[in-house]
Amino acid sequence: MEELTYRDAVARGIAQEMARDQSVVFLGEDIASAGGVFKTTGGLLERFGPKRVRDTPISEQAIVGAAVGAAMTGLRPIAEIMFSDFLAVCWDIVANEMAKMRYMTNGQVTMPVVIRTANGAGSRFGAQHSQSVENWAMMVPGLKVVAPSTPADVIGLLAAAVRDPDPVLFFEHKSLYGTKGLVPEDTLVDQLGKAKVLRQGSDVTLAALAAMVPRALAAAERLASEHGVSATVVDVRSLVPLDTATLLREIQHTGR
């Protein structure tokens, strides 16, 4: 095991999949020589070269449009939208093209696109750079929605997203980039649509996502130490597909 920051786990997760599969390419604003605006993609250009790690113009429509075209021709693109708020600029392509392509072609065309994006508030960015927009994607049939809370889940869920035949929106909460966690040193592949029980309790179930997961764990500790309340904590991890079986089981166990 090694300790990684959430930020470094992003780079390792992308590198793991690019090393495994030559069809995986990566594109976005300032992701190559600059290493990403949040410094999540350092070293990828040097390792994989400019043909597979491509800086783009400041155009979300161009980034997502290029990713859709690349996927239609057999590549597996990872596209970065710098802030999730900017998905509004390219939402027509995401919701009306990318999400529907496989169904409109009766499976003749698959759409293995991953859109990574920094999400959420708490980092003193402006109002147009601080929203949590997972709900936008949850309403569109054909899109999968993932939001990891730990470095290990970043790597494992990103691998699952890249290998999935459908488009996945991969939300990285900005306030988590500096957090640390232990990660196995070998290849890490997780499964979309699986929640994770982080703490088992008997009185109440707390379900949390992304940056709220460490807060839920802290709340559970406080409930136990100050009030004698035993709380289960479930990291939802994947909103679409949603692991209703795990959530309902844990809620049934505590009754709350």
Side-chain angles (χ1 to χ4, degrees):
M1 302 285 280
E2 63 174 329
E3 187 177 62
L4 286 181
T5 63
Y6 191 105
R7 173 181 290 109
D8 290 337
V10 173
R12 178 176 151 182
I14 296 171
Q16 172 184 287
E17 293 307 293
M18 293 189 76
R20 179 190 64 87
D21 185 348
Q22 290 292 314
S23 70
V24 178
V25 295
F26 181 35
L27 68 157
E29 297 172 30
D30 294 329
I31 55 98
S33 57
V37 68
F38 294 103
K39 302 305 176 187
T40 54
T41 60
L44 295 176
L45 173 64
E46 292 77 11
R47 181 173 177 183
F48 298 104
K51 288 188 176 180
R52 296 181 66 198
V53 180
R54 290 178 174 260
D55 276 330
T56 67
I58 303 174
S59 172
E60 288 75 21
Q61 289 174 311
I63 295 167
V64 177
V68 168
M72 292 177 71
T73 60
L75 297 178
R76 289 184 172 270
I78 303 171
E80 179 180 303
I81 299 298
M82 190 180 292
F83 290 87
S84 63
D85 316 66
F86 302 165
L87 285 167
V89 181
C90 55
W91 197 244
D92 177 57
I93 301 173
V94 173
N96 287 326
E97 303 296 337
M98 188 174 77
K100 296 175 172 60
M101 189 66 66
R102 184 158 75 88
Y103 304 98
M104 292 173 65
T105 63
N106 195 29
Q108 295 179 78
V109 175
T110 57
M111 194 52 55
V113 178
V114 177
I115 298 180
R116 291 183 42 252
T117 188
N119 193 49
S123 301
R124 297 187 177 183
F125 288 101
Q128 306 94 334
H129 299 69
S130 300
Q131 298 173 88
S132 294
V133 302
E134 300 97 330
N135 60 311
W136 295 0
M138 290 174 68
M139 295 185 293
V140 180
L143 297 179
K144 296 181 179 178
V145 183
V146 178
S149 68
T150 67
D153 281 353
V154 167
I155 298 170
L157 291 173
L158 185 58
V162 170
R163 301 179 192 199
D164 199 271
D166 292 314
V168 179
L169 268 63
F170 196 89
F171 290 95
E172 301 161 9
H173 201 287
K174 294 188 285 290
S175 69
L176 292 174
Y177 280 135
T179 61
K180 297 180 179 180
L182 293 176
V183 177
E185 295 185 13
D186 53 355
T187 299
L188 189 58
V189 184
D190 214 314
Q191 184 178 355
L192 303 182
K194 288 293 183 181
K196 184 181 291 185
V197 179
L198 302 181
R199 177 190 174 107
Q200 198 73 60
S202 57
D203 296 321
V204 64
T205 298
L206 307 178
L209 184 75
M212 293 307 297
V213 172
R215 296 185 183 188
L217 288 168
E221 290 289 343
R222 187 171 176 181
L223 284 170
S225 63
E226 297 182 13
H227 303 284
V229 174
S230 175
T232 291
V233 177
V234 181
D235 185 348
V236 177
R237 304 200 308 161
S238 174
L239 291 170
V240 181
L242 181 65
D243 187 0
T244 54
T246 295
L247 290 168
L248 291 174
R249 183 189 70 228
E250 296 304 323
I251 293 168
Q252 185 177 34
H253 177 70
T254 62
R256 296 177 179 82

